[in-house]
Amino acid sequence: MPELMLDGRALKVAEGTNVAAALALGGDGCGRTSVSGQRRAPLCGMGICQECRVTIDGRRRLACQTLCRDGMHVETHA
């Protein structure tokens, strides 16, 4: 069972969980804040909309296309 850090908080998820699902389980479900200040959540679930962009281990990634792994650090800049 992988344990990741989501915005500085530890979160355990089931094996095979993607980061977008972890956002829903451990936070507000959103991955970023728009330039106008609105929280944005995954929309398409397959990487087309790019609304699920988060920082994972220091690099911008799509949460819906990234599987959680033990020790991963995810930042949503909430």
Side-chain angles (χ1 to χ4, degrees):
M1 184 173 248
E3 181 175 89
L4 58 123
M5 296 299 290
L6 176 59
D7 290 329
R9 298 179 320 270
L11 176 66
K12 285 188 179 185
V13 296
E15 197 71 41
T17 301
N18 69 24
V19 175
L23 294 173
L25 291 169
D28 64 357
C30 296
R32 65 184 190 89
T33 303
S34 72
V35 293
S36 64
Q38 296 176 321
R39 295 293 286 150
R40 306 299 293 177
L43 180 66
C44 71
M46 60 184 174
I48 301 298
C49 73
Q50 309 251 326
E51 291 295 337
C52 66
R53 287 172 295 177
V54 293
T55 301
I56 300 173
D57 296 332
R59 299 186 70 190
R60 297 294 282 168
R61 303 265 186 212
L62 296 178
C64 70
Q65 294 185 346
T66 306
L67 291 178
C68 295
R69 55 179 200 285
D70 202 44
M72 174 183 277
H73 289 264
V74 179
E75 298 172 26
T76 66
H77 304 290

